[in-house]
Amino acid sequence: MRALDRKLFRDIRRLWAQSLAIAAVLSVGVMIMVMAFGTQRSLTETRDTFYDRARFADIWSQAARAPKTLVEEIAAIPGVARVEPRISQYAVMDLPDMDDPAMAQILSIPASGEPAMNALIVKEGRLPGFGRRDEVVVNEAFALAHDYGPGDALSVTLNGQKRDVRIVGVVLSPEFIYTIGPGSIMPDDERFGILWMAEDVLAAAFNLSGAFNSVTLSVTRGTDLAPVKDALETLLKPYGGTGPYDREQQISNAFLDGELEQLDVMARIVPPIFLVVSAFLVNMVLGRLIQLEREQIGLLKALGYSTGEIAAHYLKLSLGIGALGVALGWLMGLIASQAMASVYVEYFHFPYLVFVQRPSVYVIGAAAGLIAALAGALMAVRRVVGLSPAVAMSPPAPTRFRRGLFDRLIRVFRPEQPTMMIMRAIGRWPLRAALTSFGISISAAIIVAGLFMFDSFDELLDVAFVQANRQDAILEFALERPEEVLDAIEDLPGILVAEGSLSIPARLHHGHYTRTIGIEAARPDNDLVRVFDGDDRVEVAPEHGIVLAKRLAGHLDVGVGDMVEIEFLQEGDTRYRVPVTGTVAQFFGLSAYMDLETASRLLGQAPRVTLSNVVIDDAQRADLFEAVKASPAISGITYMSEVREGFDETIAESAGITLTIYTFMAALIAIGVVYNSARIQLSERARELASLRILGFTRGEVSYILLGELFILTLVAIPVGLVMGYGMAAAMVESFKSDLYALPLIVTDTTYWRAAGVVAGATVVSALIVRRRIDRMDLVAVMKTRE
Amino acid sequence: MANRMDKVFHTTGITKVYRTGEVEVHALRGVDAELYAGEFTVLLGASGSGKSTLLNILGGLDHATAGEAWFRDMELTAMSERELTRYRRDHVGFVFQFYNLVPSLTARENVALVTEIAKQPMKPEEALERVGLTHRLDHFPAEMSGGEQQRVAIARAIAKRPEVLLCDEPTGALDSRTGVQVLDALERINAELGTSTIVITHNAGIRAMAHRVVHFADGNIAEVTTNDTRVAASEIVW
Ligand SMILES: Nc1ncnc2c1ncn2[C@@H]1O[C@H](COP(=O)(O)OP(=O)(O)OP(=O)(O)O)[C@@H](O)[C@H]1O
Ligand SMILES: [Mg+2]
């Protein structure tokens, strides 16, 4: 081995703690890159293959009841490749292993025995036979949640008729990679299942012989979807069509897209932070090393080593650190990818989710890591190039201290000599102090950005389950019912209060902006579900106009007082102009609210309802369930407490892990920055500090001079970091915003204190490690070295 | 081996001016010097008289403000940084007052630092044997005395078989007994390898072992004398 390389290894060994601290920060960047990109690519590829093989549809639409003769007309729309009419209904299930009711979405399987689109992957058993009234297949997640398999029995209420059915197969569907029930905000595979039955059986049960109420389309490659959707809408309108939608609005696909988007954001935003911090650390440490080795550099030059060779030597040192970080990052990325895979398998139901460890992801991660280390080194090494050997070998001139701003402060406060030394040191190297402080503040920011989500969830839960939704359960009707049905509901056992609400599929227009949404129409005196303005928690009444979710108002570019046009999808093309009477912060979906009276008047019908919000007497829950099962009108029941429990559980599950991960990452950065600064200061000022010790200063006093500076920098860094964290949180809220949901931007004091605490703790820990070095300083050895 | 009366170095009007702020320091004021191949030359002179400055220019470590400096037929003052590096690598060995060893490398490795990039080097062990350090091959600088460290530095300087050996106060940090060991090593190398050797010193006693003594005063050469009979290093005391 070359002598210079030997020096390299000894240098790395001597600087191992600092090198490790840098490598650790670097490794987090590499890890997240490997994990997020790897997961994102695997997920995208798995999804695409699945969609392709299972012939995932391009367009969907529901209708009330359309004749099958319409299918030919739909198929004639230019660009349409395949059309499949089907029956889709919600129903209440009675499960042998559960006291409470569960809900099912029931879909038909055509007479041909297999759907032409959205093919089912049979995991177990087989598909139901034509005409077999008691055969169903269920989605795998539901089967797993209940440990069901072929042969198990359950009963389902079809149009008020309770029917005992037998599971003959367990399947996966590209439409339900992510399964979420109506009105839910989180998957709950125990209480929501997908059932497939033979079409003729469902047609008979729901009086839909020769008709359909749902249709899926696929188009030839490259077809523009908009005109196809328009044509389909026109065809279905007379039959109660609710407006076609494409993959973008298909719930399962939209959630999957959202997840991929988040992974992408993660892979693009987070690693650069860590890579930049580690480049900064490499620069700091190497810069100092080069300062200390000035003479050796001069000597090497005198010996005939070229500037390039010397620069290469120090670059290699940084590459060594970089390689260590990349290796650690790869390892952690591998482990994290596996962990992510297991999380995805739980929430996303793919027929296979093979995590191919893609070499390209690792190569990119490694390249990014090494480039960061090199970039940091290059800036430090550039200074070597400038030194002429004769200058390099003479010791650097003593640093000139100036009188400046700090001196004025000093004069005001008249601090003791040690404090004065701290202030002068900061004033002398303001850029370095600022960078160190900035590095520390990044770690505080990361914690805030990582943990604010739980504050936001809390707010969201409070608004969703305490402030806005005070009903115990939601009863859903299979079809629109006259408002009088509520009297019948109140007569059901256990129902204390029943209020109604009408969901109207509609399209809103404003100028050239258009959005298809659902309007919720209710009586203004309804008390169970209230519409809030999120900012000041004031209840907003639609009165004679319409209230829009803020994001919806944004999409339409309207404000309070503007007019929007409503087009009801189940009606003709008529547009009704109504004023926007309010906007509300809404976290899930994109809704609009109207007074039931106003809506009914526009629709030209007596007030009708599609669901009822109820308060129930818990003691009579079982009786209520029996009554619900016997009622053909009710297609579903959702208990709010269970929705909330599911939500709480999911959050609690991830809260612990998230807290640990972010704290770990932040502490790494804080320790990396603080420890390295302290070590550098120690080596720079060893003589000065040793002289003070010889003069009779105690170890504590000497440590104070060195570490006091870092404490001051940390103290400045924390508030800056908290503000940066808030900014990052705001940016995240903005980038996660979608039509499906939006997080409120809430950061509580607890989160701020936690971030401050972790950073302060990391500073103290690093300080203690360095303090031990100060305590063990060999005074004679330090003074003997020439500098 | 070079003819005794060949010139290794000659300079005409070498001037060096340092500017620090408004102050100008004239370190060298038009030095005309001639130094000969195979000779052991001693540079004497008061502190600040410009000895190190001249040596650095001759060694290609520093640039002159004006004038010409030649190494044989190479004009040092006209060379680029890259060419000077080449020149140092191929022709010059340095020894400094403060040894300047790389602390993280052993004696052998410090010498290897040079032998690895030289054209026709001797083995590190051989170079260390010439300075009488066979028993310290694997010691780190911190584990050696000042005299031993300086002898490692000399071994490192001669290991590439340089044509000239430039030494700036090689005994400055050493006591008389250790200093003699170092001088002895220099003398033997000059005799055995014929390496032209230039030694800066404050110790007038050392002049007795030189072929030629150059006296410096105030940035210029005051006087050049030659010794007809030289005294062996081992006989010098101070
Ligand atoms: N980098 C520099 N900047 C400014 N002045 C310098 C510099 N290096 C040397 N000098 C000045 O140049 C003059 C000659 O310096 P030089 O080092 O050549 O003296 P010297 O004869 O070697 O002295 P000594 O015996 O003390 O080593 C001195 O006055 C010195 O102050
Ligand atoms: Mg000198």
Side-chain angles (χ1 to χ4, degrees):
Chain A
M1 200 189 319
R2 301 197 25 146
L4 215 48
D5 291 331
R6 269 208 201 125
K7 171 178 176 307
L8 184 80
F9 275 101
R10 298 215 176 106
D11 282 345
I12 290 186
R13 216 190 303 161
R14 187 163 49 87
L15 297 171
W16 72 268
Q18 282 168 275
S19 306
L20 193 66
I22 300 173
V25 175
L26 190 69
S27 70
V28 175
V30 174
M31 171 193 88
I32 292 176
M33 227 161 148
V34 165
M35 180 197 72
F37 271 138
T39 309
Q40 194 221 28
R41 284 200 193 176
S42 302
L43 217 51
T44 307
E45 217 163 279
T46 311
R47 178 196 66 179
D48 291 347
T49 325
F50 187 21
Y51 280 178
D52 202 45
R53 285 207 204 146
R55 302 180 300 278
F56 190 46
D58 294 307
I59 296 172
W60 288 255
S61 186
Q62 319 300 327
R65 181 199 170 94
K68 277 203 171 166
T69 48
L70 203 63
V71 170
E72 261 176 54
E73 281 180 66
I74 297 173
I77 299 172
V80 171
R82 267 190 295 236
V83 183
E84 184 160 72
R86 61 181 185 177
I87 294 168
S88 165
Q89 284 287 348
Y90 286 101
V92 176
M93 284 188 286
D94 189 0
L95 305 178
D97 53 334
M98 231 170 75
D99 289 337
D100 282 336
M103 273 194 60
Q105 178 173 4
I106 309 182
L107 289 168
S108 64
I109 294 181
S112 62
E114 233 182 289
M117 275 162 279
N118 307 320
L120 301 175
I121 312 284
V122 180
K123 297 287 287 188
E124 244 187 296
R126 56 171 174 84
L127 294 181
F130 195 67
R132 303 302 297 262
R133 290 167 43 90
D134 62 341
E135 290 187 356
V136 297
V137 294
V138 298
N139 64 316
E140 190 184 39
F142 176 69
L144 287 177
H146 291 277
D147 202 15
Y148 289 162
D152 285 321
L154 54 92
S155 61
V156 56
T157 303
L158 302 178
N159 209 13
Q161 296 281 307
K162 183 175 165 174
R163 186 171 299 179
D164 293 319
V165 293
R166 206 161 41 83
I167 296 174
V168 296
V170 174
V171 299
L172 286 167
S173 158
E175 285 183 285
F176 301 100
I177 292 175
Y178 188 83
T179 37
I180 191 161
S184 280
I185 44 185
M186 287 264 166
D188 183 351
D189 292 322
E190 227 180 307
R191 291 191 180 75
F192 181 66
I194 318 293
L195 267 50
W196 284 266
M197 296 179 79
E199 188 181 317
D200 56 337
V201 176
L202 289 178
F206 290 103
N207 302 320
L208 284 168
S209 297
F212 63 92
N213 69 0
S214 167
V215 63
T216 60
L217 273 65
S218 68
V219 297
T220 49
R221 201 175 283 278
T223 305
D224 183 9
L225 294 180
V228 180
K229 284 196 286 182
D230 285 346
L232 179 62
E233 186 179 338
T234 313
L235 287 176
L236 286 176
K237 193 157 245 175
Y239 307 101
T242 54
Y245 55 91
D246 57 36
R247 288 184 179 185
E248 245 176 69
Q249 289 105 41
Q250 203 267 343
I251 293 283
S252 158
N253 185 60
F255 268 99
L256 199 48
D257 271 351
E259 194 60 36
L260 289 172
E261 172 78 13
Q262 284 193 24
L263 281 174
D264 198 58
V265 169
M266 193 185 200
R268 280 171 211 284
I269 306 289
V270 184
I273 296 177
F274 284 87
L275 295 179
V276 166
V277 171
S278 42
F280 158 63
L281 290 177
V282 167
N283 177 263
M284 196 161 91
V285 169
L286 218 55
R288 181 53 202 157
L289 185 68
I290 287 171
Q291 276 290 277
L292 286 178
E293 292 191 352
R294 255 173 86 100
E295 286 170 39
Q296 290 183 40
I297 292 165
L299 169 81
L300 289 172
K301 283 194 167 182
L303 291 180
Y305 279 88
S306 69
T307 302
E309 283 166 316
I310 298 170
H313 170 65
Y314 288 100
L315 291 182
K316 270 194 225 163
L317 180 62
S318 82
L319 279 182
I321 296 174
L324 185 63
V326 166
L328 280 176
W330 277 359
L331 188 70
M332 296 189 327
L334 190 70
I335 296 169
S337 303
Q338 311 279 330
M340 283 292 260
S342 66
V343 170
Y344 281 115
V345 166
E346 191 171 325
Y347 288 102
F348 294 97
H349 313 296
F350 287 108
Y352 41 78
L353 183 58
V354 200
F355 267 77
V356 197
Q357 294 294 343
R358 246 156 269 275
S360 62
V361 170
Y362 285 80
V363 170
I364 292 170
L370 294 181
I371 287 172
L374 266 186
L378 267 178
M379 288 187 284
V381 166
R382 244 194 355 208
R383 269 173 274 160
V384 186
V385 180
L387 291 179
S388 101
V391 173
M393 294 224 295
S394 56
T399 317
R400 214 174 297 160
F401 285 85
R402 278 167 301 145
R403 288 180 197 288
L405 180 71
F406 272 93
D407 285 81
R408 256 169 263 157
L409 274 177
I410 288 167
R411 239 170 289 146
V412 175
F413 292 112
R414 297 196 168 284
E416 310 253 305
Q417 290 302 318
T419 306
M420 196 128 107
M421 291 174 75
I422 291 174
M423 301 188 105
R424 288 246 164 84
I426 294 176
R428 177 62 191 86
W429 291 284
L431 183 67
R432 190 169 77 179
L435 282 175
T436 305
S437 204
F438 183 68
I440 301 171
S441 52
I442 284 180
S443 93
I446 282 179
I447 299 190
V448 174
L451 301 187
F452 89 96
M453 265 188 243
F454 297 103
D455 299 338
S456 299
F457 283 141
D458 272 345
E459 164 79 3
L460 189 145
L461 286 183
D462 185 50
V463 170
F465 294 101
V466 182
Q467 310 284 333
N469 293 294
R470 302 189 294 178
Q471 74 275 43
D472 292 335
I474 302 171
L475 298 180
E476 301 198 47
F477 304 129
L479 297 166
E480 282 182 13
R481 300 274 157 173
E483 204 182 12
E484 291 68 41
V485 77
L486 295 176
D487 298 335
I489 296 288
E490 276 188 339
D491 287 344
L492 290 177
I495 300 280
L496 302 176
V497 182
E499 292 176 352
S501 172
L502 175 68
S503 305
I504 320 162
R507 182 167 301 135
L508 299 185
H509 302 270
H510 176 249
H512 57 279
Y513 298 105
T514 304
R515 277 278 149 158
T516 307
I517 50 127
I519 297 177
E520 304 296 325
R523 293 281 177 192
D525 54 354
N526 273 10
D527 203 32
L528 295 179
V529 175
R530 301 181 298 174
V531 180
F532 273 104
D533 188 340
D535 294 338
D536 38 17
R537 300 257 169 108
V538 175
E539 209 175 335
V540 178
E543 290 169 2
H544 54 288
I546 189 166
V547 167
L548 304 178
K550 285 212 167 90
R551 279 172 299 139
L552 180 56
H555 286 318
L556 293 172
D557 194 26
V558 291
V560 175
D562 292 343
M563 301 295 280
V564 290
E565 292 177 329
I566 307 176
E567 176 192 352
F568 295 110
L569 297 184
Q570 285 152 319
E571 250 197 22
D573 288 335
T574 329
R575 294 185 182 186
Y576 304 93
R577 280 171 66 82
V578 294
V580 176
T581 44
T583 59
V584 292
Q586 196 195 27
F587 307 134
F588 299 103
L590 284 183
S591 295
Y593 304 89
M594 287 179 82
D595 189 326
L596 184 57
E597 199 71 46
T598 319
S600 302
R601 188 163 40 73
L602 295 181
L603 284 164
Q605 63 184 24
R608 291 168 156 254
V609 289
T610 46
L611 62 83
S612 173
N613 296 302
V614 295
V615 175
I616 55 184
D617 173 7
D618 248 348
Q620 298 188 57
R621 230 165 127 148
D623 295 339
L624 174 62
F625 182 25
E626 285 309 314
V628 164
K629 276 187 288 188
S631 154
I634 300 172
S635 67
I637 176 163
T638 310
Y639 286 107
M640 295 307 279
S641 55
E642 277 151 12
V643 174
R644 167 145 206 179
E645 254 168 48
F647 202 93
D648 281 346
E649 251 171 52
T650 312
I651 289 177
E653 250 172 49
S654 61
I657 303 173
T658 313
L659 187 72
T660 316
I661 291 177
Y662 278 95
T663 305
F664 172 71
M665 296 199 305
L668 267 188
I669 289 192
I671 290 178
V673 173
V674 175
Y675 177 71
N676 274 302
S677 317
R679 279 297 301 274
I680 285 168
Q681 294 257 24
L682 183 60
S683 69
E684 268 175 4
R685 298 168 73 180
R687 270 174 83 82
E688 176 188 336
L689 299 177
S691 317
L692 289 173
R693 291 272 289 115
I694 290 167
L695 286 177
F697 280 77
T698 66
R699 287 173 174 173
E701 284 164 338
V702 168
S703 305
Y704 166 70
I705 292 172
L706 184 71
L707 302 176
E709 179 179 337
L710 287 168
F711 286 130
I712 290 179
L713 295 183
T714 304
L715 229 53
V716 173
I718 287 175
V720 173
L722 299 185
V723 172
M724 275 166 49
Y726 185 83
M728 281 163 73
M732 282 166 78
V733 162
E734 200 51 45
S735 79
F736 291 160
K737 226 177 235 182
S738 71
D739 284 359
L740 292 174
Y741 56 85
L743 276 182
L745 176 57
I746 304 286
V747 186
T748 60
D749 289 351
T750 317
T751 299
Y752 285 132
W753 280 114
R754 189 167 266 158
V758 169
V759 173
T763 302
V764 169
V765 168
S766 327
L768 285 178
I769 301 175
V770 175
R771 166 79 201 253
R772 274 191 12 166
R773 281 186 171 263
I774 298 178
D775 288 351
R776 288 188 315 207
M777 191 157 61
D778 179 346
L779 298 182
V780 180
V782 172
M783 294 310 287
K784 242 170 44 182
T785 57
R786 195 174 71 95
E787 221 195 305
Chain B
M1 180 164 298
N3 186 313
R4 190 68 143 70
M5 289 317 284
D6 281 350
K7 281 183 241 174
V8 263
F9 288 115
H10 74 269
T11 68
T12 48
I14 282 287
T15 304
K16 177 77 186 181
V17 183
Y18 288 108
R19 270 189 197 87
T20 19
E22 294 112 62
V23 193
E24 281 194 356
V25 177
H26 290 261
L28 295 176
R29 306 166 186 272
V31 175
D32 301 318
E34 291 188 343
L35 300 171
Y36 297 91
E39 281 192 350
F40 193 109
T41 308
V42 165
L43 294 191
L44 283 175
S47 185
S49 55
K51 308 180 294 291
S52 298
T53 307
L54 180 66
L55 200 74
N56 286 345
I57 291 171
L58 293 182
L61 288 181
D62 210 348
H63 297 276
T65 312
E68 286 179 10
W70 292 77
F71 169 74
R72 298 197 186 281
D73 53 354
M74 296 159 67
E75 190 189 346
L76 301 176
T77 38
M79 292 203 298
S80 68
E81 197 56 55
R82 180 183 295 271
E83 288 166 329
L84 283 177
T85 299
R86 194 76 248 166
Y87 160 66
R88 293 197 300 269
R89 183 185 281 218
D90 294 343
H91 304 287
V92 191
F94 284 103
V95 178
F96 303 99
Q97 180 178 1
F98 293 103
Y99 336 132
N100 277 317
L101 299 181
V102 176
S104 56
L105 296 179
T106 61
R108 195 206 306 258
E109 290 162 358
N110 260 288
V111 177
L113 207 51
V114 166
T115 56
E116 280 164 1
I117 60 169
K119 274 185 189 154
Q120 291 177 312
M122 55 180 84
K123 279 199 176 137
E125 291 79 7
E126 184 192 337
L128 286 162
E129 192 191 321
R130 282 185 185 277
V131 295
L133 276 183
T134 1
H135 56 298
R136 289 281 184 271
L137 291 179
D138 295 317
H139 285 225
F140 283 96
E143 298 162 352
M144 287 184 279
S145 76
E148 285 168 339
Q149 288 186 53
Q150 190 60 300
R151 282 186 283 156
V152 173
I154 292 172
R156 187 176 63 186
I158 59 157
K160 67 167 115 164
R161 304 179 200 276
E163 287 171 72
V164 292
L165 190 55
L166 307 180
C167 314
D168 195 343
E169 299 185 42
T171 58
L174 305 174
D175 65 38
S176 129
R177 238 176 51 118
T178 338
V180 166
Q181 287 175 355
V182 167
L183 291 174
D184 190 53
L186 288 176
E187 185 176 50
R188 274 193 296 121
I189 283 147
N190 172 248
E192 288 166 18
L193 303 178
T195 313
S196 316
T197 307
I198 306 173
V199 176
I200 293 180
T201 180
H202 281 283
N203 189 332
I206 294 176
R207 90 173 76 165
M209 62 180 283
H211 291 112
R212 186 180 299 271
V213 181
V214 179
H215 297 265
F216 253 77
D218 203 14
N220 219 328
I221 296 176
E223 189 194 1
V224 179
T225 57
T226 52
N227 288 329
D228 294 333
T229 50
R230 299 167 59 211
V231 175
S234 52
E235 286 161 37
I236 296 172
V237 273
W238 68 86

